[in-house]
Amino acid sequence: MAESTGKFLVGVYDDDDVILEAVGKVKQAGVKIHEVYSPFAIHGMDVAIGHPRTRIGIAAFMFGVTGLACGLALILWTMGFDWPMIIGGKDPISFPNYVPVLFEMTVLFTAFGMTFTFFISNGFGPTVKPLLFDPRCTDNKFVMAIDLSKNKLSEAEIATVLKSSGAEEVSVKQV
Amino acid sequence: MHITSPVRTPLVTGGKTYADVTEDICRHVEGKPTKEWKVAFTISLLVLLYGAACVAWTWWEGLGVWGLNKTVGWAWDITNFVWWVGIGHAGTLISAVLLLFRQKWRTSINRAAEAMTIFAVLCAASFIVMHMGRPWLAYWALPLPNTFGSLWVNFNSPLVWDVFAISTYFSVSCLFWFVGLVPDLATIRDRAKNKVSKYIYGALSLGWNGSAKAWARYEYISLILAGLSTPLVLSVHTIVSMDFATSVIPGWHTTIFPPYFVAGAIFSGFAMVQTLMLVTRVVYKLEDYITLEHIESMNKIITLTGSIVGVAYLTEFFIAWYSGVEYETYAFVNRATGPYWWAYWAMMTCNVISPQLFWSRSIRRSVKWTFFISIIVNIGMWFERFVIIVTSLHRDYIPSSWAMFSPTMFDIGDYIFSFGFFFTCFFLFSKYLPVINMAEVKAIVKSSSEKLPKKVSGVAKGERVSAPTFNKDAQ
């Protein structure tokens, strides 16, 4: 994942509740947290760290509108203009019959657009080498990474803060 | 985090830790295929080969090899199609609808159920392509520009809606499934010992590292995908039912079809999930993850949807009589008492009576009974579609053209093909991908495991607490 490089201090925690509390404690001590890595979603973690709210929902809505517009354009052009057909004695353009296809097009565009936005915003790709501060963070450990270059406190001071917040191990990692 | 009453029955038993979850589920992916798996896989592959030969002959020789005649122009092909699409619905229901309802018991079964959805929809699609007779012209169903001919597809036709609905449903289900798989694939990647699996699972996991940002986005899009999939799954079977309901055939021309088909789809889908999961949990020793609690919950949904289906059957009959339309009434009386009475009563017994047994707690918590009834339900649901399709067609308006349908070896062989395909895919899935969503199960281990770590919960198991200390919302 394309993220910043440099010297990081890595705290390994054993429990999701402990690390969620630790985020608050570490921030209170004046340390800027780079990111937290966990094997599953911890509710409220992004808010606790202070990440901005994800805007993926807006993207999803835009894709939905695009899908609806494309569906409308396709149906109106084919059924109404290019080769108008009278079916069942109804007007060539009869909206109720178009609802199913318009709905499916909206869903299709939203789902694909949103998922690929998700992949792109996370910097995902089949050849991407993941940035793992500790490989156990996809198994059973919870990892807090602190970018030393972005913190005023010294390495030793931050290590003490991490330890006192409940970290089991603290180590330095160069990425 | 939610408030979970300590008296609520645990969803994950055996006092599992996070590492246990990883270990229990990855073990099957990482180990060499077992002898049982190899035997089962070989059998399903042979079945698939036999089926594929039958399909090949169907295409080579033409649809004349089926038992269709002038009167019964749709029979096993569309029966099988509707049956498989219906089975697919349970996967989406479990992963999407139960997510919206915050049902935590979905987490142990959603992965396998979604896989089942994808394979079932593929089986269904294969019958659509098969019954076209000339599969190389299947693309005519797509809205292609006029260079292919002078007409566009008819967007007023439910058959075209079906093309859009099924293809959207299939592709969105695949996306939903894959997004859910990414974190688990990363877990396997980080445990992989050999280069090949490290490379393959590495590529599939797209560089996932479990960062809080990624998880926040993941949760967000899971919710939206669930919100999209819920109306989608309802629309799919609604549209499938409109293939019949918008026609003018007595027995098909019914406004009750959409809800009745959707309920039937969920009914048969859950039965298939039960059939598959009861075997998987024993073979993979996952009894701690797929507990009697899960089985019971699914049986409750089977009873509910089975009862809806039962009410629909009776309503249909009543309305046929109440409408005063002679042809409509005849179509239904003929179903129950005509030459196909056995199919009708097989459907009634399997779908309406058998799920009612689940009102008994001991039966719905019995693995053997559940397995037995789940198979009965699927047989019944196949008969439901057969009854709707064949008995409505076989006696049309002119008695001189009344006919019976009898399947040939190719009708049967093509059906066998779908089984071979389904089980081959399912066996491959169960060997090479994690059958349980590890990340989601880990998220519920603490709040619903029978052994909350005391240092976290602050209370021992069984103690009643009004506000557990691990619960952030309560503080």
Side-chain angles (χ1 to χ4, degrees):
Chain A
M1 197 179 283
E3 275 179 59
S4 51
T5 52
K7 208 175 170 193
F8 286 87
L9 202 59
V10 181
V12 178
Y13 295 74
D14 194 34
D15 190 277
D16 46 332
D17 292 306
V18 174
I19 196 167
L20 189 56
E21 258 168 58
V23 167
K25 288 180 195 162
V26 170
K27 274 176 73 179
Q28 212 152 38
V31 180
K32 198 172 174 303
I33 297 168
H34 173 68
E35 184 59 297
V36 167
Y37 303 87
S38 58
F40 55 85
I42 303 171
H43 293 283
M45 181 54 90
D46 53 325
V47 180
I49 301 173
H51 287 322
R53 191 183 147 85
T54 170
R55 286 169 300 169
I56 218 161
I58 301 168
F61 180 75
M62 296 299 194
F63 283 112
V65 172
T66 313
L68 183 65
C70 288
L72 260 179
L74 174 73
I75 295 178
L76 290 182
W77 163 248
T78 55
M79 302 300 292
F81 297 99
D82 192 45
W83 193 290
M85 279 193 281
I86 297 172
I87 290 151
K90 295 181 192 76
D91 281 345
I93 295 174
S94 45
F95 267 97
N97 298 349
Y98 303 156
V99 169
V101 173
L102 292 179
F103 170 74
E104 305 298 338
M105 292 288 278
T106 312
V107 169
L108 187 71
F109 273 64
T110 316
F112 272 84
M114 182 177 60
T115 309
F116 282 94
T117 310
F118 169 70
F119 290 160
I120 292 163
S121 59
N122 284 334
F124 278 178
T127 53
V128 172
K129 215 179 160 305
L131 172 73
L132 288 169
F133 287 99
D134 192 312
R136 291 172 298 172
C137 75
T138 55
D139 178 5
N140 62 338
K141 296 291 178 192
F142 303 83
V143 174
M144 192 191 292
I146 310 241
D147 192 343
L148 288 173
S149 65
K150 286 187 184 149
N151 272 293
K152 284 185 194 114
L153 294 172
S154 75
E155 194 184 308
E157 281 170 317
I158 298 174
T160 325
V161 172
L162 290 184
K163 277 255 156 79
S164 68
S165 74
E168 284 185 328
E169 303 161 28
V170 176
S171 58
V172 178
K173 192 164 168 149
Q174 186 77 40
V175 279
Chain B
M1 198 166 290
H2 297 272
I3 298 172
T4 307
S5 161
V7 291
R8 190 178 270 270
T9 345
L11 291 173
V12 179
T13 55
K16 299 289 181 190
T17 63
Y18 300 139
D20 290 339
V21 176
T22 314
E23 184 58 38
D24 286 346
I25 289 151
C26 287
R27 195 167 49 222
H28 307 292
V29 181
E30 289 160 352
K32 281 220 157 60
T34 58
K35 210 173 146 200
E36 292 85 8
W37 185 87
K38 280 182 190 159
V39 171
F41 182 71
T42 312
I43 292 172
S44 64
L45 207 58
L46 290 175
V47 171
L48 174 64
L49 280 177
Y50 171 77
C54 289
V55 174
W57 185 251
T58 307
W59 282 343
W60 179 262
E61 192 65 11
L63 292 189
V65 299
W66 283 350
L68 301 177
N69 50 51
K70 195 171 71 60
T71 311
V72 185
W74 264 3
W76 278 40
D77 47 352
I78 302 299
T79 303
N80 298 340
F81 159 71
V82 181
W83 189 71
W84 277 117
V85 175
I87 284 174
H89 279 43
T92 320
L93 194 98
I94 291 170
S95 54
V97 181
L98 297 185
L99 185 144
L100 296 181
F101 282 111
R102 300 285 177 215
Q103 292 295 306
K104 288 182 181 177
W105 59 270
R106 78 175 193 285
T107 54
S108 296
I109 47 174
N110 58 5
R111 169 72 43 75
E114 274 174 64
M116 182 199 79
T117 292
I118 292 167
F119 307 144
V121 174
L122 281 173
C123 288
S126 77
F127 284 103
I128 291 296
V129 177
M130 261 182 236
H131 98 308
M132 288 175 172
R134 290 177 291 169
W136 50 93
L137 298 180
Y139 67 87
W140 281 10
L142 304 174
L144 289 165
N146 270 358
T147 47
F148 288 99
S150 43
L151 283 174
W152 291 93
V153 293
N154 175 12
F155 285 98
N156 301 289
S157 163
L159 297 175
V160 170
W161 303 347
D162 234 359
V163 173
F164 277 84
I166 304 276
S167 52
T168 303
Y169 182 49
F170 173 72
S171 47
V172 173
S173 297
C174 286
L175 268 190
F176 201 178
W177 188 56
F178 179 67
V179 169
L181 265 169
V182 166
D184 281 4
L185 292 170
T187 305
I188 300 174
R189 169 200 70 202
D190 294 339
R191 286 166 54 96
K193 300 278 187 301
N194 70 63
K195 256 194 178 153
V196 179
S197 55
K198 213 176 188 77
Y199 176 78
I200 293 172
Y201 290 109
L204 288 175
S205 60
L206 306 173
W208 174 270
N209 62 358
S211 69
K213 251 185 212 160
W215 274 122
R217 292 183 187 126
Y218 171 93
E219 292 270 284
Y220 200 95
I221 78 159
S222 296
L223 190 64
I224 300 185
L225 278 176
L228 287 175
S229 301
T230 303
L232 179 63
V233 71
L234 299 182
S235 84
V236 170
H237 230 61
T238 300
I239 292 171
V240 168
S241 80
M242 284 172 178
D243 290 345
F244 303 99
T246 57
S247 75
V248 289
I249 309 285
W252 288 2
H253 189 64
T254 344
T255 47
I256 199 179
F257 262 23
Y260 154 30
F261 267 52
V262 171
I266 295 163
F267 180 54
S268 65
F270 267 87
M272 188 59 115
V273 174
Q274 292 280 35
T275 314
L276 295 174
M277 294 318 279
L278 288 176
V279 178
T280 311
R281 88 192 260 276
V282 173
V283 174
Y284 281 176
K285 298 185 180 61
L286 297 171
E287 286 95 341
D288 281 329
Y289 299 95
I290 303 160
T291 62
L292 284 179
E293 207 61 36
H294 293 89
I295 294 169
E296 191 182 1
S297 300
M298 286 195 271
N299 282 338
K300 284 177 182 167
I301 294 184
I302 289 179
T303 314
L304 171 71
T305 48
S307 306
I308 297 176
V309 167
V311 171
Y313 292 162
L314 298 179
T315 312
E316 221 180 19
F317 227 105
F318 170 76
I319 293 294
W321 165 76
Y322 188 68
S323 69
V325 180
E326 201 181 335
Y327 303 102
E328 192 74 25
T329 316
Y330 180 73
F332 281 87
V333 172
N334 181 48
R335 276 185 193 176
T337 60
Y340 280 112
W341 64 271
W342 48 272
Y344 183 82
W345 292 103
M347 160 189 111
M348 280 303 234
T349 319
C350 299
N351 295 350
V352 184
I353 298 168
S354 72
Q356 301 306 323
L357 294 173
F358 285 140
W359 287 103
S360 151
R361 187 167 194 268
S362 55
I363 291 181
R364 71 172 182 263
R365 288 182 76 91
S366 151
V367 173
K368 281 185 191 135
W369 270 104
T370 304
F371 189 74
F372 176 67
I373 293 177
S374 73
I375 289 176
I376 293 292
V377 164
N378 265 322
I379 294 173
M381 284 309 290
W382 190 87
F383 271 113
E384 181 203 291
R385 279 67 179 249
F386 180 79
V387 164
I388 292 172
I389 293 164
V390 173
T391 70
S392 303
L393 288 175
H394 88 120
R395 288 191 164 174
D396 61 8
Y397 295 100
I398 311 167
S400 63
S401 65
W402 286 3
M404 295 291 284
F405 170 81
S406 47
T408 64
M409 70 169 279
F410 294 100
D411 284 291
I412 301 166
D414 293 351
Y415 187 36
I416 290 175
F417 162 79
S418 65
F419 276 99
F421 179 77
F422 181 80
F423 283 103
T424 304
C425 290
F426 195 81
F427 284 129
L428 282 175
F429 154 74
S430 65
K431 176 64 198 77
Y432 294 105
L433 293 171
V435 288
I436 287 183
N437 191 330
M438 292 185 272
E440 288 191 7
V441 166
K442 282 174 196 169
I444 64 154
V445 155
K446 197 183 274 179
S447 58
S448 65
S449 166
E450 59 186 357
K451 284 184 195 163
L452 290 168
K454 186 147 189 264
K455 65 168 181 182
V456 179
S457 66
V459 285
K461 166 74 185 157
E463 245 181 274
R464 262 179 187 278
V465 278
S466 52
T469 50
F470 64 86
N471 192 325
K472 296 291 172 297
D473 299 339
Q475 277 172 8

